Amino acid sequence: MALTMSEVDRFEASRPRLEAIAYRLLGSASEAEDAVQETFLRWQAADVGRIEVPEAWLTKVLTNLCLNQLTSARARRETYVGQWLPEPLLAGDPMLGPADTAEQRESVSYAVLALLERLSPNERAVYVLREAFGYPHREIAGLLDLTEAACQQIFHRAKKHIAAGKARTEIDEAAARRIIDEFLAAATSGRTEPLVRLLTQDVVSVGDGGGKVPARTKAFEGALAVAKFMRGLFKPSKAKRDLVGGSPALYATTANGGPALVAVVDGRVVGVMCLEITAEGITAFRNQVNPDKLDRATRLWAATDHGTPLLTAF
């Protein structure tokens, strides 16, 4: 059925919210865009005049599409080369969605998105809709065809799983930036000891190359192992320059609301390192170098000014 301009406008007004929901559910901006576009096609084919609450209808359609996608994604990720990490979103990306409350900001953090991978599709949907978008349990139950009591139980179970995997209390942005500066100085010093002092004993480093860029299939764990890896990562070599097409410029920024380092070669983002920093030190590095997951970051990077890089690596 042909949509009127007002019906198209109504969908477009919902698009930012739908994209933000889909990204949190799928951990992929490109897949989120596809899910929202499929929702539009369902909207286009529906008898829109009979839909009493369009926003609820659109959210239900989108959520069910994402649940189906998550189910198939689990099978695909069993054959994924190496570690799977979400697609990072840089500061200013509208797909990050609402950030008015601590819960909303935390729900899109890179650490929590990685933890969401441990949840079942239903747990993930309930957690995202409740924690990030404040949907009442009654509405979520209607969207997912659950009872309200079941929805509440799923939410508490999901929240418990997320809380168990989260880092200790994070520090403020200024303190995080100081630690990033210290980290870069230590990583380029050629020595392990200064790095170890910045890391927690249970620090981990995970990399996602998607089989297209070399990345260790297992995480590095522990301060000494991670420090040795970082020392080697920042050691200059022709092989590294050849791999990324030059000497990357490193910038301190934020990705998914948290501290990050972005590596850029000739305007192209070749890596995003998301750091999890607490009062005790750096507790996690999550490094996205899969080029398929950096296209959106590159487009946003090209449209904004970032000043002078902190240093040029390799």
Side-chain angles (χ1 to χ4, degrees):
M1 297 178 64
L3 297 174
T4 65
M5 284 304 299
S6 64
E7 290 166 345
V8 172
D9 289 344
R10 187 150 201 177
F11 180 87
E12 291 303 323
S14 296
R15 185 184 289 273
R17 177 178 57 85
L18 295 175
E19 287 189 343
I21 292 172
Y23 172 70
R24 284 168 168 81
L25 289 177
L26 300 173
S28 164
S30 58
E31 290 180 4
E33 289 174 336
D34 290 344
V36 172
Q37 185 58 28
E38 180 61 29
T39 302
F40 175 74
L41 295 177
R42 304 284 179 94
W43 174 253
Q44 192 175 39
D47 187 352
V48 174
R50 291 179 174 270
I51 298 175
E52 295 182 3
V53 187
E55 289 74 15
W57 187 92
L58 291 169
T59 303
K60 182 166 186 172
V61 169
L62 174 81
T63 302
N64 282 307
L65 287 169
C66 290
L67 288 176
N68 291 338
Q69 181 79 357
L70 283 171
T71 301
S72 62
R74 282 174 175 262
R76 290 201 312 275
R77 286 171 195 170
E78 289 178 2
T79 60
Y80 190 83
V81 178
Q83 298 279 338
W84 186 95
L85 288 174
E87 180 177 347
L89 297 183
L90 301 183
D93 194 314
M95 199 176 279
L96 288 168
D100 298 326
T101 67
E103 291 79 12
Q104 289 173 336
R105 292 189 293 273
E106 186 177 76
S107 72
V108 79
S109 71
Y110 210 59
V112 168
L113 285 179
L115 288 170
L116 286 174
E117 287 295 303
R118 304 179 186 179
L119 304 184
S120 70
N122 263 1
E123 287 174 335
R124 189 163 182 161
V126 170
Y127 181 85
V128 166
L129 291 171
R130 177 65 179 168
E131 195 78 346
F133 295 90
Y135 279 81
H137 284 295
R138 184 175 68 253
E139 287 188 34
I140 299 174
L143 293 172
L144 300 178
D145 296 322
L146 300 168
T147 67
E148 187 173 349
C151 183
Q152 291 173 332
Q153 290 176 346
I154 290 171
F155 175 71
H156 290 305
R157 187 166 63 242
K159 195 166 185 177
K160 185 176 180 181
H161 285 320
I162 295 296
K166 276 166 43 181
R168 297 159 289 276
T169 304
E170 296 183 359
I171 60 176
D172 62 51
E173 187 174 339
R177 176 56 192 272
R178 287 196 298 272
I179 290 178
I180 286 178
D181 290 340
E182 292 176 13
F183 164 72
L184 284 177
T188 54
S189 71
R191 298 166 55 226
T192 303
E193 296 79 7
L195 278 166
V196 170
R197 289 196 292 270
L198 293 172
L199 310 177
T200 62
Q201 286 305 305
D202 58 353
V203 63
V204 297
S205 178
V206 184
D208 179 350
K212 299 187 176 185
V213 174
R216 182 180 164 95
T217 56
K218 292 182 65 177
F220 289 94
E221 299 181 359
L224 185 57
V226 171
K228 288 181 177 179
F229 167 66
M230 290 296 167
R231 184 190 64 189
L233 180 65
F234 283 86
K235 185 177 181 180
S237 77
K238 182 178 183 299
K240 292 174 188 172
R241 291 191 293 273
D242 291 343
L243 180 66
V244 299
S247 297
L250 296 184
Y251 296 82
T253 184
T254 60
N256 294 78
L261 285 169
V262 174
V264 182
V265 175
D266 295 331
R268 176 172 53 92
V269 175
V270 297
V272 177
M273 176 184 285
C274 296
L275 293 83
E276 200 169 340
I277 302 176
T278 70
E280 290 79 31
I282 303 172
T283 192
F285 298 90
R286 295 181 178 90
N287 312 309
Q288 184 56 261
V289 292
N290 183 347
D292 292 343
K293 298 182 182 181
L294 297 172
D295 283 344
R296 187 180 179 93
T298 294
R299 293 196 301 272
L300 183 66
W301 192 264
T304 51
D305 177 45
H306 305 281
T308 305
L310 296 178
L311 59 86
T312 299
F314 309 158

